[in-house]
Amino acid sequence: MIKNNLETNRLIIRSTKKEDTSFCLDIWLDDEMGKYLSDPPRDKVTDAYLKWKDEVEDYSGCYYFVAVSKETENYIGTCSTVPSEDKKHWDLGYCIHKKYWRQGYATEMIKALIDFCYKNGGRKITADVARKNIGSNAVLRKLGFHIEKEGTFKKHGTDIVYDNYTYRLDLK
């Protein structure tokens, strides 16, 4: 958990607290918003998966964040980043609530994460994205990420397998 918030023009990005977990799960487990995430569908959630809610405030190698509007204080989305042991390579993930799609929030949030990773020693950032996720692919390309490799991932609790790209951004 970080003590200082990340801020952008429109967002406050802060460490996720227990009271934020219902929002997080609502978008991750939603059929539309969570479609291209590895998280399971709502009807396939296990107790082990839900244990995250109780442990979210205890740093365990992953920084979990929620993004809220500076103007309205409404939740906008979630993001996370996981550093390598030497903190030179960081992997990130993100999800924007569908009410806020196509309004630049993902770009704004990822820029703040890039800055956070860099200030904490990151020199390489990666992000896995389903090939069919047109919006997310476009955002990462716009921010200068390039495809490092191709692969697949399975949506937990299902037989759904997505082809994916692993995007990479090198920082100097």
Side-chain angles (χ1 to χ4, degrees), residues 154-166:
K154 186 175 182 180
K155 188 161 190 67
H156 292 289
T158 73
D159 293 327
I160 300 169
V161 176
Y162 288 110
D163 292 327
N164 79 296
Y165 295 125
T166 298

Side-chain angles (χ1 to χ4, degrees), residues 80-94:
S80 63
T81 189
V82 180
S84 61
E85 193 171 312
D86 67 2
K87 294 198 176 193
K88 296 211 180 295
H89 173 201
W90 293 65
D91 191 60
L92 57 88
Y94 50 92

Side-chain angles (χ1 to χ4, degrees), residues 67-119:
V68 296
S69 167
K70 283 183 174 178
E71 184 180 332
T72 65
E73 298 183 9
N74 290 339
Y75 287 110
I76 302 296
T78 67
C79 55
S80 63
T81 189
V82 180
S84 61
E85 193 171 312
D86 67 2
K87 294 198 176 193
K88 296 211 180 295
H89 173 201
W90 293 65
D91 191 60
L92 57 88
Y94 50 92
C95 189
I96 301 293
H97 193 283
K98 65 184 172 185
K99 291 190 291 192
Y100 304 103
W101 286 354
R102 306 182 79 70
Q103 297 176 41
Y105 286 111
T107 300
E108 205 169 315
M109 196 166 61
I110 294 166
K111 282 181 178 179
L113 278 183
I114 291 168
D115 187 53
F116 172 77
C117 295
Y118 184 78
K119 286 178 179 175

